[in-house]
Amino acid sequence: MKILLLMPDGRIHKVKLGPVTRSLREAPLTMTLLAALVPEELKAEITLADESIGAVPGDGAFDLVAISAMTGTSHGAYRWADHFRARGIPVVLGGVHVTLRPEEAAGHADAIVTGFAEHTWPELLRDFAAGRLKPRYEDPRQPLQGLPMPRRDLQKPFGYMMPNTVFATRGCKGTCDFCAVPAAGFGWHTRPVHEVIDELRRMPARRIAFNDVSITEDREYAKELFTAMIPLKKKWGGLCTTRIAEDHELLDLMTRSGCRYMLIGFESLSAPSLQGIQKGFNRPEAYADLMRQMHDRRILIQGCFIFGFDHDTRDVFRETVAMVDELRIDIPRYAIYTPYPETKAYHRFKAEGRLLHEDWRHYDTQHVVFRPAQMTPEELDAGFRWAYGHTFTLRSMVHRTWAAGLWFPVAFVGNLAYRRYMHRLQADAERLLPGRA
């Protein structure tokens, strides 16, 4: 059996260096874990294709094609699904967008997988081999334990800024109104700590990344995990919320376990905006203390900010850029408020008639897809690009990263990568879909 595991191009956060395309993100675990879950008795030949960093073998002779779709990549997922089905090759669609919009996805696939796939994917493959493929497979909500080591050997070398990824938790306890995770009903799950530690121990890489939505969401679990990681002497990065500053014991354990990098969603400098998206635990007046605590522990911060909330005026861009410099956010990242399908924000905007369109290609946090409350779509897009342009000047980059000390080269290279992305962003010819805004 020949199986193609495909992730369509997300079109964001990557750089091209000559013939090499490198994603600025960590390597996704979706394909490598699915590859590891293929039952051994099928003796399958597995090909991985991430269109964001390489070409898709569209003319390949495959028995089955499985495509994972986020909302922003669903258009490409459907295009590839239709392509392979036209060639007589059965297609399976899964991923968060399929969970959010199963009926839509089913029109492009022979089978769909909703929810997690750790238990349904092997079942699906055995059914396919026996000629009894069902049209839909749903997550049985079994514990995330006893998982195999992902097939990292199959991913493209040098394709990702951080090639070695692992996960300890799945889902999120938060209820942010724009986020697809609560909308998809993923809930909150943890892997047994000893299994995570065993996987880390078996990984030869010294530097790794956790792709958890919020690795410190369950503080007691995080403390157990970080304590067990200390002897491994790994250097790692991940994602957490601003609430990390409230627990000094957890912060110290995180540091001792080798944490050197954290992505934190600050989102906004406006308390009313944060309350509006159900992220009121973020307190703008405490951001400076959080950054001080992180920098005192030599942890680099990628700080994420979102533009387009209902309380945002045209001043938000200038104010945010100034605060990013003042806080010395090591690697800033900006996004446009995006109401993913079936989220609370999506239903609110749809009821208010504020959605510009439902062309999922632009639901990627980098394009305006709704009508803001206090500015035009054009002003939101222009301000978003202005913020990127002013944040990634050489002067601002040096000012924010010089204090990183020994980690200055890492922080500065990260900024250079986003500076290159900024130029690609400014050259995007399809910022607002014509005739829609």
Side-chain angles (χ1 to χ4, degrees):
M1 184 185 298
K2 294 184 178 181
I3 302 172
L4 172 66
L5 300 176
L6 167 62
M7 293 187 70
D9 185 12
R11 301 190 304 161
I12 61 172
H13 303 318
K14 61 184 176 182
V15 294
K16 292 186 177 182
L17 302 172
V20 177
T21 299
R22 171 170 279 198
S23 173
L24 297 185
R25 64 176 181 172
E26 72 276 1
L29 279 169
T30 302
M31 295 185 298
T32 52
L33 185 53
L34 288 177
L37 289 164
V38 174
E40 290 185 9
E41 70 268 20
L42 298 183
K43 296 181 172 56
E45 178 183 319
I46 306 167
T47 300
L48 269 56
D50 182 345
E51 192 180 17
S52 66
I53 59 171
V56 174
D59 296 328
F62 302 106
D63 298 299
L64 183 69
V65 174
I67 305 174
S68 181
M70 299 182 295
T71 295
T73 66
S74 60
H75 181 272
Y78 297 157
R79 176 173 53 83
W80 279 118
D82 295 345
H83 167 84
F84 284 110
R85 294 180 83 199
R87 295 184 55 218
I89 301 173
V91 170
V92 177
L93 282 170
V96 64
H97 187 75
V98 175
T99 299
L100 293 170
R101 286 295 179 97
E103 289 77 17
E104 173 188 293
H108 300 270
D110 297 274
I112 62 170
V113 177
T114 58
F116 303 157
E118 280 81 2
H119 300 284
T120 50
W121 174 239
E123 176 192 355
L124 181 153
L125 290 174
R126 291 188 175 103
D127 285 352
F128 176 72
R132 56 171 186 265
L133 184 68
K134 297 193 289 278
R136 182 166 179 171
Y137 292 79
E138 298 186 40
D139 170 38
R141 292 301 176 96
Q142 296 179 16
L144 292 174
Q145 61 186 32
L147 301 179
M149 286 280 287
R151 291 290 308 275
R152 298 181 181 89
D153 58 298
L154 296 177
Q155 73 185 25
K156 185 178 180 180
F158 312 112
Y160 306 96
M161 195 69 74
M162 175 55 72
N164 300 293
T165 48
V166 67
F167 85 97
T169 68
R170 182 79 62 78
C172 185
K173 296 181 180 181
T175 58
C176 298
D177 79 332
F178 59 87
C179 183
V181 174
F186 286 148
W188 172 254
H189 311 265
T190 58
R191 293 176 65 193
V193 166
H194 73 273
E195 292 189 10
V196 180
I197 296 301
D198 180 62
E199 181 173 347
L200 290 172
R201 188 176 287 117
R202 292 164 63 188
M203 293 173 67
R206 185 165 176 254
R207 301 183 185 279
I208 59 103
F210 284 94
N211 75 346
D212 307 48
V213 173
S214 179
I215 196 169
T216 59
E217 196 74 13
D218 182 329
R219 295 185 183 186
E220 295 309 311
Y221 177 86
K223 289 175 181 179
E224 180 185 355
L225 175 64
F226 297 157
T227 299
M229 286 177 61
I230 292 172
L232 302 182
K233 299 187 183 302
K234 300 281 189 181
K235 305 300 179 187
W236 65 273
L239 295 78
C240 71
T241 68
T242 59
R243 285 184 288 201
I244 188 65
E246 301 169 3
D247 192 329
H248 291 181
E249 179 190 1
L250 179 58
L251 256 178
D252 290 339
L253 281 173
M254 192 168 78
T255 305
R256 290 176 59 200
S257 70
C259 181
R260 294 294 179 267
Y261 163 89
M262 268 289 164
L263 184 150
I264 297 179
F266 294 92
E267 319 304 17
S268 177
L269 306 179
S270 163
S273 291
L274 293 166
Q275 291 287 348
I277 62 170
Q278 300 183 7
K279 203 165 185 177
F281 58 80
N282 273 12
R283 296 183 297 116
E285 69 275 11
Y287 289 171
D289 179 65
L290 168 61
M291 289 301 300
R292 179 188 59 77
Q293 292 195 58
M294 291 300 199
H295 283 163
D296 284 350
R297 291 170 171 82
R298 296 292 186 262
I299 297 175
L300 296 180
I301 297 299
Q302 178 165 38
C304 299
F305 294 85
I306 299 174
F307 298 124
F309 298 129
D310 282 358
H311 289 87
D312 286 351
T313 67
R314 285 173 291 181
D315 293 332
V316 69
F317 310 106
R318 174 182 51 79
E319 293 169 354
T320 303
V321 168
M323 184 57 70
V324 162
D325 276 351
E326 182 179 332
L327 294 173
R328 294 199 169 188
I329 303 289
D330 300 291
I331 306 174
R333 192 170 87 183
Y334 299 125
I336 295 171
Y337 191 38
T338 302
Y340 286 105
E342 308 312 319
T343 62
K344 294 178 181 177
Y346 170 84
H347 288 298
R348 177 166 62 88
F349 285 162
K350 194 172 183 68
E352 295 172 357
R354 293 171 60 189
L355 291 179
L356 297 178
H357 58 78
E358 294 188 18
D359 187 326
W360 303 134
R361 291 176 305 152
H362 280 207
Y363 280 64
D364 59 2
T365 77
Q366 304 296 289
H367 295 83
V368 181
V369 299
F370 71 101
R371 192 172 302 281
Q374 302 197 58
M375 62 184 93
T376 67
E378 291 82 0
E379 287 171 334
L380 174 55
D381 179 65
F384 169 70
R385 290 183 288 115
W386 179 93
Y388 258 111
H390 280 71
T391 294
F392 291 100
T393 63
L394 289 175
R395 180 176 181 177
S396 175
M397 290 160 55
V398 171
H399 167 76
R400 286 182 289 96
T401 59
W402 187 253
L406 293 175
W407 290 101
F408 167 75
V410 176
F412 193 74
V413 168
N415 276 262
L416 284 176
Y418 272 93
R419 182 179 169 88
R420 289 182 64 92
Y421 171 71
M422 174 196 70
H423 292 306
R424 179 167 164 254
L425 185 75
Q426 302 290 8
D428 183 356
E430 201 177 48
R431 295 302 308 158
L432 284 166
L433 294 184
R436 304 291 184 91

